[in-house]
């Protein structure tokens, strides 16, 4: 038997039925374009009779999207089928998808029709749809709660009427895997003309079994799977496209089937659907949740660092996502923390690392989860080495009728460096003199002065923020002389910056630290 599985995506129809997930025509078109890029075989673009807006959306998708077949849903009534056809007639590959209830409860309670009438309607609808297009799909709504003999009768009749695809939906998510697989197998083996159609399944997730039911159906002969990106859909949703596809990739020993899906587009599609529908992706959602590739336990982190396969069965890059991210916590060991620093380009010697790790644990105790940005802030905050520049001498001149100027003398190792500069005030002049000595390109973003103690001889504390490239560095200086405190704060931030850049491994910024 052919092992190619047709992926029928219903994100824009059943997925859009998720409460609160209404999409406008522009959003539907955007998603449809991405679904085509993803490589789905069929895009169920909507239920055109449901609203003029949906009709227009399906029409636009049909006119603009190439590659995938475009399906429109219709009940077994003339207006629905006419409307569905009008919306998709310009598509490269149009499909009309008609459906009618097959279970007694739906026929009696919802439709108030007897099974024979429903059967006749189904046959009529397929023939009518067939007068427009060759590609007609018929769905037996609520099939998993229908009588099996009735299912066989309807399936045979709609295939005779011309249905090319027969869909067996688990409309209320009631089926279990063996039971559903068995049903598909019996339909295919017992219905005499079954070889003339492709069998499809459409599983809802009320018991959390939608994906496994779909996979069992495929193992039993179904060759089309209806599914939705992120598993969105009515109530608990539909089978998740990404889970089905990845199951066939990662467990091909169990599910040796091919799809036309471009795996690298999965992540992007998933994020787009979530953003446009406004339905968030649960963090622990299989394949595409933000935690799906994150390791938090110390033991797991250690294992993954030694060999990814210890705790990772899927490579994030396979689905177009970024490499796995480690969320560091107080339970993360030294190995994980050092690895994260190295992946960010920082090389610390053992003593520096111990100092860093100690500060990391203090932070992790307070903050629970520590991200890359936190590590960077910690690195900036810790002075790993002796300061590169120390203040030796400072003299400033300022007054009402004088141009403010400064003489600054700094020690760098054994060298004494001195510069003179003028400025708009004594602090500006001193900073400019320092810039001449250090030759480092920075920008002063923030300057704050506060009295630390009381009285006229109070200590003044200056805290400043400077930026260099994408780095923000805070510097502090204390003195009874506010100009001196300001100079110390500036030197503190420059020394931190120099230390930090020295720990960045092979970072081109290191070379650009000095002004050209
Ligand atoms: O769940 C269902 O039965 C449906 C049909 C229209 C296929 O969505
Ligand atoms: Zn459905």
């Amino acid at each position: 038997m052919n092992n190619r599985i047709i992926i029928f995506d219903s994100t824009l129809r059943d997925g859009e039925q998720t409460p609160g997930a209404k999409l406008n025509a522009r959003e539907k078109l955007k998603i449809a374009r991405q679904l085509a890029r993803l490589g789905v075989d069929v895009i169920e673009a909507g239920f055109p009779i449901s609203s003029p807006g949906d009709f227009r959306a399906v029409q636009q998708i049909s006119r603009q999207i190439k590659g995938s077949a475009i399906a429109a849903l219709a009940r077994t009534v003339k207006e629905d089928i006419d409307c569905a056809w009008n919306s998709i007639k310009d598509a490269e590959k149009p499909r009309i998808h008609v459906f009618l209830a097959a279970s007694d409860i739906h026929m009696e309670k919802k439709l108030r029709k007897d099974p024979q009438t429903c059967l006749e309607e189904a046959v009529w609808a397929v023939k009518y749809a067939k007068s427009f297009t060759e590609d007609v799909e018929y769905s037996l709504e609520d099939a998993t709660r229908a009588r099996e003999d009735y299912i066989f009768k309807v399936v045979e009749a709609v295939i005779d009427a011309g249905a090319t695809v027969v869909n067996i939906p688990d409309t209320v998510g009631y089926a279990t895997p063996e039971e559903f697989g068995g049903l598909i197998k019996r339909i295919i083996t017992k219905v005499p003309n079954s070889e003339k159609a492709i069998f499809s399944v459409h599983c809802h997730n009320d018991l959390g079994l939608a994906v496994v039911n779909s996979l069992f159906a495929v193992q039993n002969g179904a060759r089309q799977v209806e599914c939705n990106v992120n598993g969105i859909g009515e109530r608990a949703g539909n089978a998740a496209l990404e889970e089905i596809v990845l199951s066939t990739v990662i467990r091909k020993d169990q599910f040796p089937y091919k799809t036309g899906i471009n795996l690298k587009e999965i992540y992007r599609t998933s994020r787009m659907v979530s953003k446009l529908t406004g339905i968030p992706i649960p963090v622990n959602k299989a394949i595409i949740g933000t935690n799906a590739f994150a390791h938090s336990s110390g033991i797991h982190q250690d294992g993954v660092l030694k060999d990814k396969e210890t705790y990772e069965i899927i490579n994030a890059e396979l689905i177009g996502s970024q490499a796995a991210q480690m969320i560091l916590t107080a339970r993360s060991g030294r190995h994980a923390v050092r690895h994260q620093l190295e992946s960010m380009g920082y090389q610390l010697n053992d003593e520096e690392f111990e100092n860093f790790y100690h500060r990391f644990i203090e932070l992790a105790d307070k903050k629970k989860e520590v991200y890359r940005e936190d590590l960077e802030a910690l690195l900036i905050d810790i002075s790993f080495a002796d300061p590169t520049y120390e203040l030796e001498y400072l003299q400033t001149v300022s007054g009402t009728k004088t141009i403010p100027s400064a003489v600054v003398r700094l020690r760098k190792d054994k060298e004494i460096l001195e510069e003179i500069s003028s400025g708009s005030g004594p602090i500006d002049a001193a900073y400019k003199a320092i810039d001449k000595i250090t030759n480092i390109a920075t920008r002063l973003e923030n300057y704050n002065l506060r009295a630390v103690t009381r009285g006229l001889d109070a200590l003044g504390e200056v805290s400043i923020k400077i930026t260099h490239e994408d780095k923000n560095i805070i510097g502090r200086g204390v003195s009874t002389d506010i100009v001196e405190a300001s100079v110390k704060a500036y030197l503190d931030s420059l020394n931190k910056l120099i230390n930090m850049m020295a720990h960045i491994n092979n970072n081109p910024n290191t070379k650009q630290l000095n002004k050209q």
Side-chain angles (χ1 to χ4, degrees), residues 163-218:
T164 40
V165 179
V166 177
N167 184 36
I168 309 296
D170 182 21
T171 304
V172 291
Y174 178 74
T176 61
E178 263 98 14
E179 180 188 46
F180 193 54
L183 173 66
I184 301 300
K185 189 177 215 141
R186 288 190 296 281
I187 295 174
I188 294 175
T189 49
K190 295 202 171 153
V191 171
N193 54 0
S194 68
E195 81 292 344
K196 293 195 185 135
I198 291 168
F199 283 86
S200 167
V201 287
H202 173 114
C203 297
H204 279 264
N205 205 29
D206 298 65
L207 291 174
L209 297 173
V211 169
V212 69
N213 283 343
S214 306
L215 290 169
F216 267 62
V218 169

Side-chain angles (χ1 to χ4, degrees), residues 76 195 247 249 321 388 491:
T76 50
E195 81 292 344
S247 297
V249 173
S321 172
T388 306
L491 286 177

Side-chain angles (χ1 to χ4, degrees), residues 13-14 73 97 99 139 141-142 167 169 171 202 204 226:
R13 199 277 298 168
D14 219 337
L73 187 67
H97 177 193
F99 75 101
S139 281
E141 193 191 11
D142 201 22
N167 184 36
T171 304
H202 173 114
H204 279 264
E226 303 197 357

Side-chain angles (χ1 to χ4, degrees), residues 2 10-11 19 26 49 61-62 108 153 184 192 238 256 287 302 306 327 336 350 374 390 417 451:
N2 154 28
S10 186
T11 306
R26 202 172 37 81
I49 195 80
I61 291 170
S62 302
E108 272 168 42
K153 242 164 114 171
I184 301 300
N238 292 52
I287 319 292
D302 187 56
K306 287 174 178 147
I327 298 171
D350 290 348
D374 299 315
E390 281 174 291
L417 305 154

